[in-house]
Each structure stands twice: as C-alpha cells, then as structure tokens.
C-alpha cells in the first residue's frame, strides 16, 4: 500500500499550499483533495491556480473527491452539522441534474490541476438498491465518464453506507455498464461498518472485497471506527448525546483508535499491487495541528510497511 492522505482531515479549513506541504511531509505519495467550496473552492480561478502550482511543483499524485454538498454560498451555508445533500442518483430528475452539474464544475478544475482520478459516491446514506437506482447509476457514470475522459480523470466508485455501493453491487453496475476503465475506491472503514453480526470477519470483510473486485481497485480509503456493534452508550458519550450516536458510527478515526484489526486487514490487502494508494481519510478536528496530522500519518505509514514486510516474510 502506497502512502496517501486526504485533505478531509483539514475539511473545516480553507485548503492552501501550507496544508498540502504538511501532508506531503508525512511521506504521502498521493493527496486526495476533497471538493467542497468552503474548503477547496473549485469555482474560484485563483484557488484552482494556487493548487495547480503546488501540484506541478511537487512530486505528489493528486486525486479529486467529488463534492458531497450543494450550497449557494459556501462561506455561510455549510456547517459541520449539515448532512451531505448531493445525490447523483436521486429519484427526482432535477436533483440528479443539479448534482451532475456540481460534480462537473469540480471536475473542470482538472483542466489546470493534474488530477489522475476522481472519486464518485452513488446515492446518499441508506439509498436503496432497486431498478431505478441501477438505471440512474449507469446514466450518471456514463455521462461523467465522457466528461472526465478528456480531462485525464479516471472515475473511481466508492462503497458508502447504502445498498447501492456494496462491493457486490458496485461490481454489478460496472459489469452491466461495461465500464472496464472505471475503478473502485475501496473504503475500509465502511467495510467494517457493514459487517454482519452473525459472521463478522476478522479482516472486516476486506479479503472478500479484494477478491471480488480484483483488478478494479484503484485506491483505498483508510480509517477506523468502532463498528456496527459498538455499545450505544459509548458512542453517545463521544458524541455528547444519544441523538448523535448513530451518526457517530462512521467516525473516520485514525487507524488503531477504533476496533479494526489492522494486522488482519493488512494481510487481506496482500493480493493488491504494492503501489495501490492507501488514502488516510480522517475526520476533521480543529484542535489537531498540521504538525500533529503529519506525525500521525507518518507513524501509520511506517507501521503499515512493517506489517506488510512481516506478511511477505
């Protein structure tokens, strides 16, 4: 697994070269830029030029994560308490069109920034798997693939917390649409959350997903959580109230702060090419300095390399 990190860790701040420098100092070879207007305003030419200059001056691969919010004014409309509302496969046509337009606006930043790939989320949390979802997914991917191709972007579909994007359903969509050049961004934390209580896997289901999606995994999203069976009182304590307990499950913790068995996960990732980017996607925390983020990321990358070497031996 090649070291990588997402700017999601600084999501509450405006992204600037100083923060990118901090992420690069951790040893990350890939940086995923999270597209959100309050963080990286892809509609602001000066912001795009600033990031373009940084990526062209540094030997770091860039990846773009699609927007998950549609806001009229990013500086006043977004807050950490607002749920994602951009839905490429919404039942209403006008919502699908609005989502498609916003994603394309973000993709246009690749005209200047040398992004290699773009991560797509199909649906919102708890979106159901049905014929309409399949049809809308195929249409969205076909349309965005045609738009992204000339920009040099490979599309990577991400497994999220809904029925549409399970590894098996993503494979169905890719095969049904004959999307041979569309890949997958495999989110390890979401696999852990999707574990079936009757037969939980020590590796959080990573081995099964890797086998199923062999040859299609373009990168990994790496983060930890307490799983779907964490006692609600523990989640409520960390969230501050039982009302937020369910929302806290997808916690995006640093690896080792949750209940995932990272030695087992690392072993399950063994069949993947060693240069597959492993993107740390950590929750934003205003109290965590850029220096602390870089140090924690560096320590994880070193630990993963030791575990990978031990597994190879």
């Amino acid at each position: 697994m090649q070291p990588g990190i997402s700017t999601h860790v600084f999501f509450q701040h405006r992204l600037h070269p100083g923060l990118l420098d901090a992420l690069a100092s951790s040893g990350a070879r890939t940086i995923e830029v999270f597209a959100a207007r309050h963080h990286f305003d892809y509609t602001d030419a000066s912001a795009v030029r600033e990031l373009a200059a940084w990526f062209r001056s540094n030997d770091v691969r860039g990846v773009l994560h699609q927007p998950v919010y549609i806001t009229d004014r990013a500086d006043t409309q977004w807050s950490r308490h607002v749920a994602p509302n951009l839905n490429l496969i919404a039942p209403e046509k006008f919502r699908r069109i609005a989502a498609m337009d916003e994603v394309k606006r973000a993709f246009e930043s690749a005209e200047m920034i040398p992004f290699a790939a773009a991560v797509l989320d199909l649906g919102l949390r708890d979106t159901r798997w049905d014929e309409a979802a399949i049809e809308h997914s195929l249409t969205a991917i076909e349309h965005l693939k045609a738009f992204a191709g000339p920009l040099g972007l490979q599309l990577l579909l991400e497994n999220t917390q809904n029925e549409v994007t399970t590894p098996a359903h993503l494979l169905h969509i890719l095969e049904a649409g004959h999307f041979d050049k569309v890949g997958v961004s495999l989110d390890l934390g979401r696999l852990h959350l999707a574990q079936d209580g009757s037969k939980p896997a020590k590796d959080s289901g990573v081995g099964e997903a890797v086998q199923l999606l062999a040859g299609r995994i373009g990168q990994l999203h790496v983060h930890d959580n307490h799983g779907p069976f964490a006692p609600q009182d523990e989640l409520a304590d960390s969230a501050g109230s039982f009302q937020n307990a369910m929302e806290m499950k997808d916690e995006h913790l640093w690896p080792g702060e949750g209940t995932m068995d990272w030695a087992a996960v690392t072993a399950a990732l063994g069949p993947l090419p060693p240069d597959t980017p492993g993107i740390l996607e950590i929750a934003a925390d205003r109290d965590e300095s850029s220096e602390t983020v870089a140090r924690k990321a560096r320590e994880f990358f070193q630990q993963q390399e030791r575990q990978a070497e031990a597994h190879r031996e």
Side-chain angles (χ1 to χ4, degrees):
M1 182 167 63
Q2 186 186 81
I5 193 166
S6 170
T7 67
H8 188 271
V9 71
F10 297 130
F11 191 66
Q12 298 181 61
H13 303 275
R14 186 186 74 81
L15 187 61
H16 57 78
L19 295 180
L20 293 173
D21 285 338
L23 297 182
S25 72
S26 71
R29 304 302 306 139
T30 296
I31 291 179
E32 182 184 275
V33 174
F34 211 98
R37 295 198 193 193
H38 73 282
H39 175 62
F40 163 50
D41 189 351
Y42 41 87
T43 67
D44 183 339
S46 63
V48 172
R49 284 195 297 269
E50 186 177 54
L51 262 62
W54 189 90
F55 275 102
R56 294 190 185 282
S57 300
N58 291 272
D59 185 21
V60 178
R61 178 174 175 269
V63 173
L64 180 70
H65 192 294
Q66 68 152 79
V68 295
Y69 300 100
I70 297 180
T71 56
D72 295 328
R73 292 184 58 194
D75 58 335
T76 60
Q77 297 299 314
W78 179 84
S79 83
R80 63 191 304 172
H81 306 294
V82 174
N85 63 356
L86 188 154
N87 188 355
L88 288 166
I89 61 171
E92 305 87 0
K93 185 176 181 179
F94 78 95
R95 295 189 188 279
R96 297 198 301 275
I97 292 173
M100 195 82 68
D101 289 345
E102 192 69 16
V103 170
K104 288 194 291 185
R105 288 189 192 98
F107 281 10
E108 286 173 344
S109 66
E111 292 178 348
M112 297 184 65
I113 305 173
F115 289 127
V119 177
L120 285 186
D121 294 340
L122 298 176
L124 298 176
R125 182 168 177 165
D126 300 326
T127 298
R128 297 177 62 85
W129 173 253
D130 55 27
E131 289 300 322
I134 296 171
E135 179 183 350
H136 297 330
S137 294
L138 294 172
T139 299
I141 296 168
E142 186 64 47
H143 189 83
L144 289 173
K145 182 170 70 71
F147 189 86
L151 297 170
L153 293 172
Q154 180 194 18
L155 298 186
L156 300 174
L157 307 183
E158 181 177 20
N159 56 302
T160 62
Q161 285 182 283
N162 63 38
E163 294 180 0
V164 177
T165 59
T166 66
H169 289 166
L170 286 179
L171 181 61
H172 176 88
I173 290 169
L174 291 170
E175 290 181 340
H178 303 287
F179 298 130
D180 297 333
K181 295 184 179 181
V182 177
V184 172
S185 177
L186 188 64
D187 191 298
L188 306 184
R190 268 67 174 275
L191 290 177
H192 187 52
L193 286 172
Q195 288 290 280
D196 184 346
S198 64
K199 50 177 181 179
K202 185 176 177 63
D203 65 1
S204 299
V206 173
E208 181 180 354
V210 167
Q211 183 177 14
L212 188 67
L213 297 169
R216 296 180 182 269
I217 298 173
Q219 69 173 35
L220 307 167
H221 273 163
V222 181
H223 53 95
D224 209 336
N225 56 67
H226 288 92
F229 314 114
Q232 289 297 300
D233 56 344
E234 291 183 11
L235 291 174
D237 288 343
S238 63
S241 71
F242 281 99
Q243 182 178 359
N244 294 328
M246 291 299 292
E247 298 176 5
M248 286 296 293
K249 285 189 174 181
D250 191 17
E251 299 161 280
H252 285 263
L253 303 174
W254 288 96
E257 293 182 352
T259 57
M260 294 181 68
D261 184 335
W262 287 97
V265 169
T266 300
L269 295 172
L272 294 180
D275 61 350
T276 302
I279 310 295
L280 281 166
E281 191 179 51
I282 307 302
D285 186 342
R286 288 184 182 276
D287 297 328
E288 200 151 61
S289 67
S290 58
E291 293 80 7
T292 300
V293 167
R295 175 181 57 79
K296 287 185 174 182
R298 189 181 307 112
E299 290 172 352
F300 173 72
F301 298 149
Q302 293 170 350
Q303 177 190 48
Q304 282 298 106
E305 180 58 30
R306 289 193 296 269
Q307 289 180 343
E309 287 180 359
H311 177 66
R312 288 192 290 268
E313 293 175 357

